Amino acid sequence: MKLKMIFFDFGGTLDVYPSDKAQKAHAAVKVKRMLEEAGAHPLKDVSESEFEKALFDGLSAYYSWRKEDCIELPPEEIFERFILNKYGIEKRISDEFGEKAAFIIETDGYHRSARPEAKEAMEMLRAKNIPLGIISNIISRGQVPYSLESYGLTEYFNPVILSATYGKRKPHPGIFRHACEKAGVDIRDAMYVGNSPSKDIDGAKNAGMGKTVLIEYFDNDPHDTGAKADFTIKDLRELIPIAEELR
């Protein structure tokens, strides 16, 4: 291959997102109050702890449902089918507030921050005229753009491909191929950087990407296994000599 594009995973690769019970509970309360104010009156008779359990049980059910076919439903449909339908809440509320609820979960439910070296590494790659993009599994259409803006990283990435928009999630090969088509690059000349062996490395290899890089992440699932990456790194700045070699 001759390297012409680098795509990145987002969570665990460009940013870190540790969560704890308090953060999840805070996000659930915020979602509940927003939905009540929007007219989801049945929720007023549901305690905060009950709603928190229903919310995350519903999301877990959705995660299991989507696993086999790598389908990513729009957030509006996720909330309608897997969370709010049990309360008899009208569909218009899911349609209007599904994305807002997903955004709250993906932002307020975690302690998100950019990897400390992210901006420096992206600046170094851009200085070498290497185009950069993102392919991310996420249930919110707004979270990744919001986080990129917060981290001062928006300018480095085009395209930004999200499973919530595309409708399929990694490791489905379609999302990788779609990203390369959007970027106008031959997939064999693209490299993918991610922290998940099963979703990122397996997915990119099966899609036909030229090279793969696994970046270590402290919160990886120990049961997450997959194909061996072409390179393994601990710091995004380690991509510079790899890129130089492949150019």
Side-chain angles (χ1 to χ4, degrees):
M1 72 172 293
K2 182 176 181 181
L3 182 64
K4 295 182 180 178
M5 185 90 189
I6 302 177
F7 285 99
F8 294 83
D9 169 49
F10 189 75
T13 298
L14 290 172
D15 90 339
V16 296
Y17 59 112
S19 67
D20 57 38
K21 291 182 178 179
Q23 283 294 114
K24 285 192 168 186
H26 167 70
V29 169
K30 195 169 179 179
V31 169
K32 182 176 185 290
R33 290 175 180 170
M34 178 188 70
L35 294 173
E36 287 177 3
E37 290 172 1
H41 302 303
L43 294 183
K44 293 181 179 179
D45 297 323
V46 179
S47 70
E48 290 179 351
S49 60
E50 288 173 329
F51 179 75
E52 179 187 352
K53 184 177 187 306
L55 174 63
F56 290 109
D57 282 353
L59 288 173
S60 294
Y62 166 64
Y63 299 153
S64 296
W65 173 86
R66 74 185 180 184
K67 189 172 184 179
E68 183 175 351
D69 295 324
C70 298
I71 292 172
E72 192 79 275
L73 295 176
E76 296 82 4
E77 192 171 348
I78 295 171
F79 273 80
E80 179 193 358
R81 290 176 54 179
F82 291 89
I83 298 164
L84 298 183
N85 63 343
K86 67 177 290 185
Y87 297 110
I89 294 170
E90 55 190 307
K91 183 176 180 296
R92 72 156 185 90
I93 291 179
S94 297
D95 289 345
E96 186 174 352
F97 292 94
E99 163 59 29
K100 294 177 182 178
F103 179 82
I104 290 169
I105 291 165
E106 296 286 10
T107 52
D108 289 45
Y110 300 93
H111 296 285
R112 285 193 175 273
S113 61
R115 282 188 184 253
E117 77 281 8
K119 191 173 181 69
E120 178 185 357
M122 297 311 112
E123 189 64 34
M124 293 168 74
L125 289 169
R126 185 169 67 172
K128 296 184 177 299
N129 296 314
I130 302 174
L132 311 174
I134 289 174
I135 306 170
S136 176
N137 284 351
I138 199 76
I139 64 170
S140 165
R141 293 183 292 266
Q143 181 266 312
V144 171
Y146 170 82
S147 293
L148 287 173
E149 182 69 25
S150 299
Y151 303 157
L153 296 175
T154 302
E155 64 184 294
Y156 298 103
F157 301 101
N158 183 36
V160 175
I161 305 299
L162 308 177
S163 62
T165 302
Y166 178 67
K168 291 283 190 178
R169 56 187 283 109
K170 300 174 293 182
H172 194 280
I175 193 168
F176 296 94
R177 293 168 184 162
H178 173 69
C180 288
E181 289 172 4
K182 290 284 286 185
V185 64
D186 189 318
I187 196 167
R188 294 168 294 185
D189 292 326
M191 183 166 71
Y192 193 72
V193 184
N195 68 291
S196 168
S198 62
K199 293 190 286 288
D200 296 324
I201 306 306
D202 275 356
K205 282 183 175 291
N206 290 335
M209 279 207 168
K211 295 293 180 182
T212 57
V213 180
L214 182 70
I215 186 167
E216 295 181 6
Y217 183 55
F218 72 94
D219 202 24
N220 262 14
D221 182 346
H223 302 295
D224 185 353
T225 59
K228 181 177 175 59
D230 297 296
F231 305 94
T232 299
I233 62 175
K234 295 182 179 180
D235 186 299
L236 290 167
R237 289 168 292 197
E238 294 176 61
L239 290 171
I240 312 308
I242 294 172
E244 290 174 342
E245 175 187 339
L246 296 176
R247 292 287 289 238

